[in-house]
Amino acid sequence: MPPQPPQDDSFVAGRDRMDLAMKLINKHPEIVTDQKDRAWAGTTTFWYKTSWYTLICSFPLSFYLTRLSAKNPKLQGKYMAYNTGLSSFALLFFLWGLWNQGKMEEEITKKYLSHYHIDQMRAMVQGTLAV
């Protein structure tokens, strides 16, 4: 019979464990020892934040283009096409950033923190256990 994973809930690699692991990595960045992984995490986080800003900035621009199309019926199709393109780009860029951020968090967590018990990780985040 193949070895079975522990049935304890604290070993489940779920979203809570990844959130806790990313808090730990943000508090103690020296855990990530490989320079390529550090650079990858930094770049991915930058593009994730940029995608958020793009999505947020697209709302007032979309409102402005809708207002322009209402004011000028002759160019309504042109402004609505710009609005649709802008909204689609912002949404797709945001989803791409979100997907890359999730992928990076999962891989970094599995690579560097899979051997820690979740209670150990909580103690390290709180500062009651040394890294």
Side-chain angles (χ1 to χ4, degrees):
M1 194 164 144
Q4 297 293 321
Q7 298 301 319
D8 187 6
D9 287 341
S10 61
F11 285 98
V12 175
R15 189 70 213 162
D16 293 337
R17 182 176 176 83
M18 283 180 37
D19 287 342
L20 190 60
M22 288 313 295
K23 284 181 189 175
L24 182 60
I25 287 173
N26 289 336
K27 188 173 183 179
H28 301 284
E30 67 273 6
I31 291 174
V32 180
T33 55
D34 188 14
Q35 288 295 334
K36 288 182 182 177
D37 288 338
R38 282 187 186 188
W40 180 46
T43 303
T44 304
T45 303
F46 169 77
W47 285 113
Y48 172 66
K49 289 178 181 178
T50 304
S51 71
W52 260 110
Y53 299 144
T54 303
L55 185 67
I56 290 170
C57 289
S58 73
F59 293 120
L61 289 172
S62 178
F63 177 74
Y64 176 71
L65 288 170
T66 303
R67 215 175 91 209
L68 283 178
S69 70
K71 283 183 176 180
N72 192 348
K74 290 181 180 178
L75 297 174
Q76 185 176 14
K78 180 180 177 181
Y79 289 134
M80 292 311 286
Y82 287 159
N83 189 5
T84 303
L86 173 72
S87 301
S88 300
F89 169 75
L91 181 63
L92 289 175
F93 186 54
F94 170 70
L95 291 175
W96 173 80
L98 184 65
W99 179 75
N100 274 337
Q101 181 74 10
K103 188 172 116 180
M104 182 271 303
E105 286 180 0
E106 184 177 357
E107 289 184 21
I108 294 281
T109 301
K110 285 180 182 176
K111 185 173 182 179
Y112 291 101
L113 297 169
S114 62
H115 58 282
Y116 286 112
H117 192 276
I118 197 161
D119 293 331
Q120 288 175 313
M121 289 177 20
R122 282 191 186 112
M124 285 189 276
V125 168
Q126 294 170 354
T128 56
L129 184 66
V131 176

